[in-house]
Amino acid sequence: MKKQLPDEAERIQQAILEREVEEELQKERLMNFWKKYRFVIIGGLFLIISFTVGTEVYKSWYNKIRIAESNQFEQAVLFDYTSEPEKASQLYSELSQNARTGYQYLAQMRLAQMAFGKNDTSNGIQILTNLMNNSAAPEELRDVARLSVIGHQVGTTDSNELLKLLQPLLKKQNSFYASAVELQAILLLEQKKNDEASQILNTALGLPTLSEQSKNRLKELLSIIQ
C-alpha cells in the first residue's frame, strides 16, 4: 500500500501537468488563430454593425421620403377634385419623374386618367404603356395598366393584337384573371366568336377561387351572349 501511494501521487501530478500543457497549447492555438484572422473577424463585425446601422438610417430616410410623397400625392388629388387640374397635373408630373416610392407609379396612373378625361386617349395609353413595360414597377400596378391599355383600345385597335397583349393576365393565379376573361370574351364577341366567348366564361365560372362579385359579372356577360 505504501508503494502505491507515491505512484498514485505521481500519476495525479502527471495528469495535472498534461492538463496545464494542453491548456497552454489551446491558448497558443487561439492566439495564433486570432493573429491570423483578427482583421477578417473585426472587418466582419464592422460590416454587420455598418449594415445594421445603415439599414436603420435607410428606413428612417425612406419613411420621411414616403410621408413627403404621400402628402404631395394627397395634395394633387385634392386639387384634382376641387377643379384645379393644372395644379394637380403639375404635382403628379413631379411625382412621376422624381418620386422614389410607389407614388411615382400611382402619379403616372393619375396622369393617364386625367388624359383620358380630356379625350387625350393616345397620351393616356402611352403613359400606361410605359408603366406596363417598366420592370421596376409593382407587378399588380403593371397588370392594371395592361388592362387599362387594352380596355381603352377595344373597338379601335385590331382585336387579335389586343388578345395577344392580354395573354399574360389570362393565368388562373393572376389577381385580375376575372377582368382579363371579361375582356377576352368581349374581344372574341367582336370577332363574332360567340361560342368561344361563352366557353371561356363557363370555364372561368367553374373556378372555386373566383370571388362572388367576379362571378356575377361573368354571369351577366354570359347571359348577354346567350
Side-chain angles (χ1 to χ4, degrees), residues 20-36:
E20 289 177 349
V21 170
E22 179 61 30
E23 288 177 354
E24 288 298 320
L25 287 172
Q26 186 177 21
K27 287 179 184 178
E28 186 177 352
R29 285 195 295 268
L30 286 173
M31 287 304 298
N32 288 335
F33 176 85
W34 174 249
K35 288 177 182 177
K36 185 176 181 180

Side-chain angles (χ1 to χ4, degrees), residues 4-124:
Q4 293 177 355
L5 285 175
D7 292 342
E8 186 69 25
E10 187 176 345
R11 282 197 296 272
I12 292 172
Q13 288 177 352
Q14 182 67 26
I16 293 173
L17 179 62
E18 288 176 356
R19 185 181 302 172
E20 289 177 349
V21 170
E22 179 61 30
E23 288 177 354
E24 288 298 320
L25 287 172
Q26 186 177 21
K27 287 179 184 178
E28 186 177 352
R29 285 195 295 268
L30 286 173
M31 287 304 298
N32 288 335
F33 176 85
W34 174 249
K35 288 177 182 177
K36 185 176 181 180
Y37 294 107
R38 65 184 184 277
F39 295 114
V40 176
I41 294 171
I42 293 171
L45 291 172
F46 177 77
L47 285 175
I48 292 170
I49 294 169
S50 299
F51 177 77
T52 303
V53 173
T55 301
E56 292 303 316
V57 170
Y58 173 78
K59 285 180 180 178
S60 175
W61 169 84
Y62 183 83
N63 285 332
K64 289 179 182 179
I65 293 294
R66 182 179 56 79
I67 291 170
E69 291 178 358
S70 171
N71 292 337
Q72 187 174 350
F73 186 82
E74 289 178 7
Q75 185 63 51
V77 172
L78 184 62
F79 282 139
D80 202 357
Y81 283 99
T82 54
S83 300
E84 297 182 86
E86 291 182 2
K87 292 181 180 180
S89 179
Q90 181 180 351
L91 290 176
Y92 287 140
S93 295
E94 290 175 3
L95 282 170
S96 70
Q97 295 172 16
N98 304 318
R100 301 182 184 182
T101 67
Y103 286 103
Q104 175 185 5
Y105 313 116
L106 292 176
Q108 291 170 9
M109 297 191 78
R110 294 292 295 184
L111 284 172
Q113 186 178 2
M114 291 181 73
F116 291 131
K118 295 186 292 185
N119 293 320
D120 188 1
T121 305
S122 60
N123 186 33

Side-chain angles (χ1 to χ4, degrees), residues 169-175 177-178 203-204 207 209-210:
L169 304 181
L170 290 171
K171 298 174 183 177
K172 294 176 182 178
Q173 67 270 23
N174 189 278
S175 302
Y177 173 73
T203 300
L207 292 176
T209 54
L210 217 59

